[in-house]
Structures are given as structure tokens and as C-alpha cells.
Amino acid sequence: MPATRPPADRADGARLAALLQAGEIDAAIDAGLMGFVDDDPALDPAARAVVVQARERLRQAWAARDRYRARAARLARRAAEREARRNPAPAASAGPAPALPPAAAAALARARARAGGKP
């Protein structure tokens, strides 16, 4: 009877335990620590405990990091809303303002007409 091997996408518990005991957490994550399924009867109970505990600690740490990031984003959004209430944006004008008032424009036109008549 041939020995059954775990599928390629599943992590090897003994390898993960060895990596964790050597302090190679990053290598264990790369080797599939988070995808480890605790159903290998051949795995030593002590090694199983090491892998499962490391996986749960990592899962809790990642969840805490996500909560921290969500809180920081929420606080930044609230601060921006508070600042917007304190300093409202200036009102936009309805259209471009004329360059000169009508009386000044008329005076300028008369001056140009007089100056244009002289060579």
C-alpha cells in the first residue's frame, strides 16, 4: 500500500515545526504556516502544538494590525471632517469678474480713441 502524500498546496507540519523551532518565522510563513491543516496523524503532538500555537499567534497579531489600521483611518477621517467644519471652503464665484468697472472701461475706450487719432 503506497504512503499517502499531502497535496502540494498543503504545508508539511514537520517542516513548519522545524522552521519555527529554529526561529525562522518568515520562512515558516512562506512555507505555508497560515494554510496548515491540523489533520496529519503522523505529526508529533509537540510539533503539532508548536505549529498550531504559532499559527494562532500570527492570526491574532494580523487581526490586531488590521484593527489598528482601521482605527487610524477612522481617526484620520474624523480629524479631516472636524477640520472641514472649522474651516469651510470659500464659496465659488458665479462667473468671471469683469476686468474693469463699466465707468473705467468707458474712460479707457475714450482715451484710446483720442490717442488713436494722433499719429
Side-chain angles (χ1 to χ4, degrees):
M1 177 179 202
T4 58
R5 295 180 53 180
D9 62 340
R10 292 198 26 205
D12 177 29
R15 180 168 181 254
L16 289 174
L19 288 170
L20 290 169
Q21 289 170 345
E24 297 290 335
I25 296 173
D26 290 335
I29 292 170
D30 291 340
L33 175 62
M34 297 311 290
F36 173 72
V37 178
D38 184 20
D39 64 354
D40 184 6
L43 185 61
D44 178 47
R48 176 179 289 115
V50 167
V51 174
V52 170
Q53 287 174 358
R55 181 187 63 195
E56 291 308 310
R57 280 194 314 266
L58 189 59
R59 187 173 287 148
Q60 289 173 358
W62 285 352
R65 180 185 62 189
D66 290 342
R67 288 190 305 272
Y68 175 80
R69 288 179 177 169
R71 179 180 181 270
R74 190 173 55 250
L75 291 176
R77 180 182 45 82
R78 286 180 182 171
E81 290 171 354
R82 188 178 318 113
E83 187 64 28
R85 283 192 306 269
R86 286 183 187 161
N87 301 323
S93 62
L100 292 174
L108 181 60
R110 284 190 304 270
R112 284 187 179 163
R114 275 186 255 147
K118 292 185 181 180

